[in-house]
Amino acid sequence: MEGKKKRLLVLYASQTGNAMDVAERVGREAERGGCPSVEVQSMDHFDPNTLPSESTVIFVVSTTGQGDPPDTMKVFWRFLLKRNLGSSWLEGLHYAVFGLGDSGYQKYNFAAKKLDKRLQDLGAKPIIEKGLGDDQHPSGYEGALDPWLMSLWKTLNHVNSTILPEMSEILHPSMNKLEHPKFKIMYHASSEVVQHDSHISDLKDMKNMIERARSMSPSLHGHDHGEPHYLLKMVTNKQLSKGDDGRDVRQFVLEPLASVVEYQVGDVLEVLPGQNPAFVDAFIKRCKLDPDSYITIEPWSGERDAMDSYVNGSSDHPIQLRTFVSRAMDVASASPRRYFFEVMSYYASAEHEKEKLQFFASPEGRDDLYQYNQKEHRTVLEVLEDFPSVELPFEWLVQLVPPLKKRLFSISSSPLAHPNQVHLTVSVVSTMTPLKRRRYGLCSSWLASLDPNKNEEVLVPSWIHRGTLPPPPPMLPLILIGPGTGCAPFRAYIEERAMQNLVESTAPILFFFGCRNRDSDFLYQDFWLAHSSDDGILSEEKGGGFYVAFSREQERKVYVQHKIREQSARVWGLLNAGAAIYLAGSSTKMPADVTEALEEVVAKESGVSREAAARWLKTLEKAGRFNIETWS
């Protein structure tokens, strides 16, 4: 223990913000318990070389996609996997791991489980058994978090009572003391800042304004990607689905106004959605803010060291308050966190509202809060309107309101077929809450609302990133599996292969598509059929094939995995020829069902056991010949 840091360090890796919220709660409770030194950090801000110098670390990690760690954990995780780290490298480190996942996914809480095992392999000692939060639990991840945290504090206190000298404040919080917010708002006269935020006269100004607003946000913690790569204009907004079943799938075609858009098949477009101006104005009015004021956000002096890396240079560039709210704060889509209700309780002047908020923030009120807030997708604006006596200072709002997040979409066009255009295939998200309130996805419904034929130009701030599906060379045979909007990246692949085939020989493609029925959601029907006939890229004459599972057209539901089994010999023949498998679509049951069907095909056609077939598919995955891109 010589030279160990005498602090409680909380490291988190978050993709959607839940892990960050849990980590901050861990830090708050430790401080409430009198812990003399607590620090909460994102993993990508922590140097893993220094991990052996820590004495006590709490890890909070979410799991994304098919068991992948969040982006902010990837560098840290690669470091931990180094072979030169011995089994005693972390000797003397006491740790605990809490994971956030969804048991509906095949690789439930995989990142947390792997981290826990690796830490033990390196000599670290667990304080308590890892905790696994589950979105499927009736109370969400907090159903596991609450008892796990209580067990953590009691165990830590038993081992060393000096760590939490005020343990009773954790066990029975008095709720009579609120710490000050971590940030302060500086207001500036408009005469000081006209040069910084005058009328947006060109695209560069708009890009810069978006970057400044988002870099100032404490909630984004420096994890944004700078100014948009492109500002795109929508030129096509076409409904692909038909019928009255409520499903709305659109094709969006976007073009840059000034620059040339560059990407390759398999890339993804990241979009910053716009918020309804009426909701932004209602939030500003409800919170009694001046939309035309100019602000900067700075850490309180005591927080400066920890926060400087999060808020980058904002004090030099004041920004209009309304711009900051509309570009960085999600006021009318995301639900607030549990701590939001606790802080609100201190600012409620009506006694019945204060009592209700205190109950929501308590362990006893957890399930009621989950039903009121998360299950109903209650927004920040709605919550504030439900508790009219609460007057939250803006300092707390910028800290607690969820950040406006960007959304990722697979690009469904080839730049060879559509130069200087980006095509998206998007399902407009629409859900019904338990109280029969219709909720719409912020980004998909915003994109669907844009009318290319109107005179006013609404630009779509966009970033292009590498996806998880690598672009295949022309002579690589492909087995593509993409039910529903999972077909999006494969439309791009097939367009690209068709263009390549005009100038060189290309390998065959098998494509398995799935939808409910041919009359309502057979997306891009004419496109697939054209390429699967007359020696097209998907034609059987070319060694390929196009197979559709219409799940609702017969009594027994038929999915893509059934079609894969039906075409067992063709699938195996292409795999034997060196084909790569690409799978895209829903991240719940589909990937596991398809993988199971592929295992059956390999076992049947090659005469090996299912276990051997599963191992063979694993080797394909490691060799980059089995690629999966899924979304929830």
Side-chain angles (χ1 to χ4, degrees):
M1 295 291 286
E2 189 75 23
K4 293 274 186 182
K5 292 181 181 176
K6 305 295 184 185
R7 66 172 178 177
L8 178 69
L9 175 64
V10 185
L11 291 178
Y12 67 87
S14 192
Q15 198 76 13
T16 63
N18 284 337
M20 182 179 76
D21 190 54
V22 170
E24 289 179 345
R25 177 180 166 189
V26 173
R28 282 194 306 274
E29 290 197 8
E31 287 174 347
R32 192 176 286 164
C35 186
S37 179
V38 183
E39 186 159 345
V40 179
Q41 277 191 41
S42 177
M43 272 188 202
D44 60 344
H45 290 158
F46 179 77
D47 180 2
N49 272 297
T50 65
L51 194 56
S53 68
E54 302 292 339
S55 57
T56 310
V57 183
I58 313 302
F59 296 91
V60 183
V61 299
S62 60
T63 294
T64 68
Q66 294 303 299
D68 300 319
D71 293 339
T72 55
M73 182 179 171
K74 286 177 179 174
V75 172
F76 181 90
W77 180 240
R78 279 198 298 270
F79 184 91
L80 286 193
L81 293 178
K82 284 185 174 181
R83 294 188 177 182
N84 63 338
L85 303 179
S87 59
S88 60
W89 184 64
L90 291 180
E91 204 168 82
L93 174 71
H94 293 79
Y95 78 94
V97 172
F98 187 83
L100 292 93
D102 186 326
S103 59
Y105 290 33
Q106 187 181 11
K107 295 182 178 178
Y108 166 59
N109 261 314
F110 221 52
K113 292 172 182 176
K114 289 194 293 186
L115 175 62
D116 180 56
K117 184 178 185 307
R118 184 59 178 158
L119 291 169
Q120 291 190 56
D121 290 345
L122 295 172
K125 185 178 179 182
I127 301 164
I128 59 169
E129 179 69 20
K130 63 183 173 291
L132 301 177
D134 185 4
D135 280 349
Q136 298 289 332
H137 188 279
S139 301
Y141 66 78
E142 288 185 330
L145 176 63
D146 287 354
W148 182 85
L149 259 184
M150 196 55 68
S151 176
L152 172 68
W153 299 137
K154 287 179 178 177
T155 306
L156 268 178
N157 193 53
H158 179 72
V159 172
N160 183 356
S161 59
T162 63
I163 293 178
L164 299 167
E166 298 171 35
M167 180 69 180
S168 61
E169 269 299 310
I170 296 178
L171 298 175
H172 309 289
S174 57
M175 296 285 286
N176 59 10
K177 178 184 170 188
L178 178 67
E179 66 268 28
H180 65 71
K182 293 178 179 178
F183 300 90
K184 57 184 174 182
I185 310 297
M186 308 296 290
Y187 290 89
H188 304 264
S190 58
S191 57
E192 296 175 42
V193 292
V194 166
Q195 63 198 60
H196 296 302
D197 208 56
S198 57
H199 176 70
I200 296 168
S201 57
D202 57 37
L203 302 181
K204 183 64 183 171
D205 284 346
M206 184 175 177
K207 286 182 178 181
N208 180 259
M209 179 270 293
I210 291 170
E211 180 183 23
R212 284 194 288 121
R214 295 180 67 76
S215 68
M216 198 184 291
S217 167
S219 299
L220 289 167
H221 280 204
H223 295 314
D224 221 44
H225 292 111
E227 69 175 37
H229 298 162
Y230 304 98
L231 294 171
L232 302 178
K233 180 183 187 301
M234 187 173 290
V235 296
T236 301
N237 180 345
K238 177 183 178 183
Q239 187 165 359
L240 299 175
S241 53
K242 307 177 188 108
D244 54 2
D245 62 355
R247 293 160 64 83
D248 183 1
V249 181
R250 304 284 180 109
Q251 180 191 29
F252 302 126
V253 179
L254 304 160
E255 292 180 352
L257 287 186
S259 56
V260 175
V261 64
E262 295 180 355
Y263 65 94
Q264 59 186 12
V265 294
D267 284 355
V268 295
L269 190 76
E270 190 175 39
V271 172
L272 177 66
Q275 299 192 81
N276 186 323
F279 291 146
V280 172
D281 292 339
F283 171 82
I284 289 171
K285 184 178 180 182
R286 166 64 184 83
C287 298
K288 299 179 180 175
L289 304 172
D290 176 4
D292 299 319
S293 61
Y294 285 83
I295 62 166
T296 54
I297 301 170
E298 296 181 2
W300 282 100
S301 56
E303 306 279 352
R304 182 166 294 279
D305 291 342
M307 297 299 167
D308 272 350
S309 60
Y310 297 158
V311 184
N312 301 311
S314 63
S315 58
D316 298 330
H317 302 288
I319 197 163
Q320 198 172 54
L321 184 145
R322 192 185 191 286
T323 299
F324 177 77
V325 171
S326 66
R327 295 293 187 180
M329 298 173 71
D330 192 337
V331 300
S333 169
S335 297
R337 312 286 187 184
R338 184 170 168 184
Y339 187 50
F340 187 82
F341 294 86
E342 181 178 331
V343 174
M344 281 178 70
S345 71
Y346 290 91
Y347 292 95
S349 56
E351 196 58 36
H352 69 284
E353 290 183 18
K354 181 186 286 287
E355 289 175 3
K356 183 72 171 176
L357 290 163
Q358 287 177 338
F359 175 69
F360 275 161
S362 70
E364 297 77 23
R366 181 193 68 206
D367 291 351
D368 286 47
L369 175 61
Y370 189 73
Q371 294 299 320
Y372 165 81
N373 189 42
Q374 288 97 317
K375 294 290 279 186
E376 281 299 308
H377 302 287
R378 202 86 58 171
T379 69
V380 168
L381 178 57
E382 287 175 332
V383 169
L384 289 169
E385 288 174 340
D386 281 352
F387 295 91
S389 82
V390 173
E391 294 193 14
L392 270 181
F394 195 43
E395 286 82 356
W396 275 115
L397 290 166
V398 300
Q399 182 177 326
L400 297 179
V401 172
L404 183 64
K405 289 181 184 150
K406 297 178 285 192
R407 273 64 165 179
L408 288 171
F409 300 99
S410 299
I411 294 176
S412 56
S413 55
S414 159
L416 295 182
H418 304 282
N420 220 30
Q421 281 191 341
V422 177
H423 295 204
L424 302 179
T425 305
V426 177
S427 178
V428 181
V429 177
S430 171
T431 57
M432 189 71 77
T433 72
L435 295 180
K436 305 300 180 192
R437 297 169 358 126
R438 177 65 64 183
R439 302 268 109 169
Y440 293 96
L442 174 62
C443 193
S444 60
S445 61
W446 175 67
L447 288 171
S449 73
L450 301 183
D451 185 350
N453 301 313
K454 283 193 175 175
N455 290 328
E456 72 265 18
E457 254 175 17
V458 178
L459 300 179
V460 180
S462 305
W463 293 254
I464 286 178
H465 305 290
R466 293 282 92 91
T468 56
L469 302 177
M475 285 309 296
L476 178 67
L478 299 176
I479 298 170
L480 308 178
I481 306 153
T485 54
C487 73
F490 304 141
R491 178 178 181 268
Y493 280 41
I494 290 163
E495 280 188 338
E496 181 115 330
R497 190 62 65 92
M499 296 298 291
Q500 292 166 338
N501 194 55
L502 297 175
V503 294
E504 60 182 318
S505 296
T506 59
I509 300 176
L510 290 180
F511 178 38
F512 294 91
F513 175 67
C515 61
R516 294 190 174 192
N517 59 67
R518 72 190 74 229
D519 295 326
S520 65
D521 57 348
F522 192 173
L523 309 178
Y524 301 115
Q525 176 178 352
D526 294 342
F527 175 83
W528 310 125
L529 295 178
H531 283 294
S532 60
S533 59
D534 300 328
D535 289 332
I537 289 297
L538 293 175
S539 66
E540 293 188 357
E541 292 82 358
K542 288 276 191 183
F546 173 56
Y547 308 102
V548 189
F550 297 109
S551 64
R552 302 295 198 274
E553 287 196 355
Q554 57 287 309
E555 193 173 327
R556 183 179 70 91
K557 290 180 182 175
V558 175
Y559 298 113
V560 284
Q561 58 267 28
H562 300 117
K563 292 295 178 181
I564 290 168
R565 291 186 181 98
E566 284 178 16
Q567 300 300 325
S568 181
R570 283 184 176 276
V571 170
W572 178 242
L574 221 53
L575 284 173
N576 253 343
I581 303 167
Y582 284 71
L583 170 64
S586 168
S587 56
T588 49
K589 285 192 77 219
M590 187 272 294
D593 291 340
V594 166
T595 302
E596 187 178 300
L598 290 168
E599 288 172 2
E600 288 179 23
V601 166
V602 173
K604 173 187 170 185
E605 300 295 336
S606 66
V608 301
S609 68
R610 277 288 298 277
E611 292 74 17
R615 287 195 299 272
W616 188 76
L617 284 174
K618 283 286 182 192
T619 63
L620 281 194
E621 193 173 347
K622 287 179 181 174
R625 286 178 51 207
F626 189 176
N627 302 285
I628 300 174
E629 182 168 281
T630 59
W631 49 84
S632 55

